[in-house]
Amino acid sequence: MNIEKSYKKSCEVCKKTINVDIYKQGECPYCGWWNCFLNEENPDNIAMPNLISLNKARQLYSEGKPFEPNLDEFIEALFSYSEMQFEYKGTYYAVELLFDKNKETKISLFNSQTKKEDIFNDDEDFKNNANIDGKLLKDIWDDTTDRYWLQ
C-alpha cells in the first residue's frame, strides 16, 4: 500500500488488524480480502475490486475455502468491470460487455488462442449458451481458474 498515512482496522472477513488508507481500503495480508467501504455498506453485493460479496467471503473463509466466484457472481462482476477473464485447460478467455448499434448490451466470449469470438444477447443467453469445445461453460465452470477482471 503506497499511501502517506495508514490506519488500523479489523479486516471485514477474518477480523485481524490490518492497515488501510483514509478511505478504509486495503488488502488483508492474512486472508487476501480487499477491504472497502462499499463492501461494508452492501455486504450482499459484489463491489470492486472483489469478485464475490462480503457475506460470501465470510462464509468461504469460515469453511477454509478460497474466494472464488461462481458463474453467477462472475457475470455480476462483469457488469461492474466490463471486462473479465478466466482460464480453461491452458487457454485464456476474455468476457466483455459490448454495445450494439441500438445501445443494447451484448456479451462477448473471446478465445485468446483461436481468436474466435462468440456474441451473446444478454447475461441469460451467455449463462445458458456459452460453450467451450462443445461443453457449456456453466457445466465446466468449476474446472476454470484465474477468474478475474481483465488485466
Side-chain angles (χ1 to χ4, degrees), residues 41-64:
E41 292 173 5
N42 304 289
D44 291 316
N45 297 338
I46 295 171
M48 293 173 78
N50 298 304
L51 299 184
I52 60 173
S53 71
L54 174 57
N55 283 335
K56 180 167 182 185
R58 288 173 175 156
Q59 174 191 341
L60 291 173
Y61 180 79
S62 73
E63 296 170 1

Side-chain angles (χ1 to χ4, degrees), residues 14-132:
C14 71
K15 304 300 180 199
K16 293 181 180 169
T17 301
I18 62 169
N19 290 325
V20 294
D21 65 17
I22 60 173
Y23 304 106
K24 300 194 300 184
Q25 299 183 123
E27 185 173 10
C28 176
Y30 306 103
C31 71
W33 180 253
W34 182 265
N35 289 262
C36 174
F37 69 92
L38 293 172
N39 295 300
E40 287 181 297
E41 292 173 5
N42 304 289
D44 291 316
N45 297 338
I46 295 171
M48 293 173 78
N50 298 304
L51 299 184
I52 60 173
S53 71
L54 174 57
N55 283 335
K56 180 167 182 185
R58 288 173 175 156
Q59 174 191 341
L60 291 173
Y61 180 79
S62 73
E63 296 170 1
K65 295 179 180 174
F67 301 147
E68 291 291 338
N70 64 30
L71 184 56
D72 288 327
E73 293 159 333
F74 182 86
I75 293 169
E76 183 181 341
L78 172 65
F79 281 88
S80 290
Y81 295 104
S82 300
E83 299 176 326
M84 301 286 288
Q85 72 176 26
F86 64 89
E87 181 269 337
Y88 179 70
K89 292 190 173 181
T91 300
Y92 277 87
Y93 294 84
V95 182
E96 299 179 78
L97 293 182
L98 305 173
F99 301 95
D100 67 12
K101 61 184 176 185
N102 298 322
K103 298 191 179 178
E104 293 180 15
T105 304
K106 305 290 182 188
I107 298 176
S108 163
L109 175 63
F110 180 79
N111 180 320
S112 67
Q113 196 169 54
T114 65
K115 309 298 185 219
K116 180 180 183 256
E117 179 181 36
D118 294 313
I119 307 293
F120 301 89
N121 291 320
D122 55 32
D123 54 335
E124 284 301 312
D125 186 25
F126 177 79
K127 182 178 176 183
N128 292 318
N129 298 304
N131 73 81
I132 297 172

